[in-house]
Amino acid sequence: MVRSLKARGLAGELAAEFVGTMILILFGCGVVAQVVAAGIGDHDSIAWAWGLGVTLGVYVASRISGAHLNPAVTIALAVFKGFEWRKVAPYALAQTAGAFLAAMLVRWNYTEVLNAKDPGLTIKTQGVFSTLPGNGTLPVGDWGAFRDQIIGTAILVLVIFAITDLRNTSPGANLAPVVVGFLVVAIGMAWGTNAGYAINPARDFGPRLASWLTGYDTAFTDQYGFPYWWIPIVAPIVGAVIGGAIYKYLIERHLPAGDPLDAMPAKDLEPAN
């Protein structure tokens, strides 16, 4: 997302990705717990809190790591923007670990209301932490959810590339996190039906693991009993590459050349050791 010219070292970058993703999930899973378990709020509050969580997480991490906060985004940057492949796995692990810790905090903080709402810790409240086809209730199968996650993540990465491209109509470093947050709100409001708009492998797997470790025995399956955990991992990666390709070959290649700073390749704006 917003990228820094200064080198901070890989350890610092991983710490930033860890904390930034943790902030994202604290707001995201926190609001879903509040709505589902306590009945406070609705779909719109969920969409807005997720979007604001992204904005705040980016502000926390962007100066140090670029604030990917999403393994699919990291992979897309490696494929199309020169991000170093050797950093992809460490970034993904840091992002997932941050999401896991945040979900554990949400699970702990909302223990009483979750147990009161769903004493058996079932599919009824599993969606607080991880996504399900049709949000666990609507007639959507696993392959419908797979399709949905490809499309949603392609939209995410396509627009992120546009927002952060200095040769395009970029909002600038200070406002880019806000615009990216609005993007996530819009995806939540328009693409949340079929699969809960995970669009982020770390966002889904970290909290899914946390819920399984704290009593949700069905955390890795869907309401049909099929293994579902891999879909919000694989489909967003596929979608991210598609979205990045659309931007690169249909938009970026047609942008006018700018001055030396505006024309600076994205890889030069990424943090480096």
Side-chain angles (χ1 to χ4, degrees):
M1 294 183 185
V2 184
R3 293 176 287 275
S4 170
L5 288 169
K6 290 189 176 181
R8 299 292 181 178
L10 182 58
E13 294 167 33
L14 298 182
E17 288 296 307
F18 175 87
V19 177
T21 309
M22 183 176 69
I23 293 297
L24 162 61
I25 300 302
L26 285 172
F27 284 98
C29 287
V31 71
V32 182
Q34 182 168 269
V35 172
V36 171
I40 300 172
D42 54 19
H43 171 270
D44 286 355
S45 62
I46 290 174
W48 278 106
W50 274 109
L52 289 170
V54 169
T55 293
L56 298 173
V58 173
Y59 274 125
V60 166
S62 61
R63 185 70 175 173
I64 300 173
S65 69
H68 304 177
L69 314 186
N70 182 337
V73 171
T74 300
I75 290 171
L77 288 170
V79 173
F80 298 107
K81 297 293 185 178
F83 184 73
E84 295 178 79
W85 278 102
R86 68 181 181 87
K87 295 183 179 181
V88 169
Y91 264 54
L93 289 172
Q95 293 153 359
T96 304
F100 172 81
L101 178 59
M104 291 293 284
L105 290 171
V106 170
R107 177 72 177 88
W108 179 36
N109 189 60
Y110 283 97
T111 296
E112 295 85 358
V113 291
L114 285 169
N115 288 342
K117 179 72 173 182
D118 183 18
L121 301 178
T122 67
I123 290 286
K124 186 176 181 180
T125 57
Q126 183 176 315
V128 167
F129 301 98
S130 54
T131 59
L132 291 161
N135 294 306
T137 60
L138 298 172
V140 179
D142 288 6
W143 290 112
F146 192 92
R147 174 194 65 224
D148 174 88
Q149 286 300 285
I150 291 175
I151 297 170
T153 315
I155 295 169
L156 175 73
V157 170
L158 166 61
V159 180
I160 285 176
F161 277 19
I163 291 168
T164 58
D165 190 338
L166 297 179
R167 293 194 299 140
N168 207 330
T169 312
S170 172
N174 290 335
L175 283 179
V178 176
V179 180
V180 172
F182 283 146
L183 167 62
V184 173
V185 173
I187 291 173
M189 289 183 170
W191 292 89
T193 297
N194 284 3
Y197 70 107
I199 57 176
N200 181 338
R203 167 267 174 274
D204 194 83
F205 186 77
R208 191 180 296 274
L209 179 60
S211 65
W212 181 73
L213 290 173
T214 57
Y216 283 85
D217 294 336
T218 60
F220 288 96
T221 60
D222 59 23
Q223 64 269 33
Y224 309 112
F226 299 128
Y228 183 76
W229 61 271
W230 62 275
I231 289 177
I233 296 174
V234 176
I237 293 172
V238 174
V241 173
I242 292 173
I246 292 172
Y247 185 77
K248 180 176 179 65
Y249 296 112
L250 297 184
I251 301 296
E252 184 180 68
R253 66 186 300 180
H254 300 295
L255 290 172
D259 60 37
L261 177 60
D262 289 343
M264 185 179 296
K267 65 181 179 181
D268 292 333
L269 298 175
E270 289 290 351
N273 287 332

